[in-house]
Amino acid sequence: MNIRYFAWVRERVGVEEEAIELPSTVVTVADLIGHLKTIDDNHAFAFEDEETIRVALDQMHVEADTELGDAKEAAFFPPMTGG
């Protein structure tokens, strides 16, 4: 799966994008986040407050309990603010 990171999530992980082979136990977005946290300290730091991170699968916003299904891309970003 192709994983993309934006804003401070990207800064903490240290890369903008990476391709990751997922184990069969990774079924939902929450599972994916849990898996990413095990990659290294940077990933663990980026996802330490999972509730604040927003996720899109194939450019559609989803919740943590959403199944990955056949998604080709997951994108992670902080909440959007502005006015």
Side-chain angles (χ1 to χ4, degrees), residues 3 6 8 21 23 25 34-35 38-39 41 43 45 47 49 55 63-64 72 74-75 77 79-80 83:
I3 311 292
F6 294 92
W8 59 258
E21 286 290 324
T25 56
H35 177 70
T38 68
I39 292 176
D41 289 343
H43 285 78
F45 177 52
F47 291 98
D49 188 4
V55 184
E63 299 297 323
K72 303 291 185 234
F77 45 92
M80 294 180 209

Side-chain angles (χ1 to χ4, degrees), residues 2-76:
N2 191 45
I3 311 292
R4 298 186 69 196
Y5 307 103
F6 294 92
W8 59 258
V9 181
R10 176 184 62 232
E11 292 170 8
R12 290 180 179 187
V13 171
V15 297
E16 181 176 325
E17 187 173 339
E18 60 189 337
I20 297 177
E21 286 290 324
L22 299 176
S24 61
T25 56
V26 176
V27 177
T28 66
V29 169
D31 295 338
L32 175 58
I33 291 171
H35 177 70
L36 292 171
K37 289 170 77 170
T38 68
I39 292 176
D40 60 26
D41 289 343
N42 289 345
H43 285 78
F45 177 52
F47 291 98
E48 69 183 350
D49 188 4
E50 297 175 30
E51 298 298 316
T52 64
I53 295 179
R54 301 296 173 246
V55 184
L57 291 179
D58 292 338
Q59 300 182 3
M60 297 290 293
H61 290 264
V62 297
E63 299 297 323
D65 62 351
T66 302
E67 291 191 7
L68 299 175
D70 293 331
K72 303 291 185 234
E73 176 185 86
F76 295 94

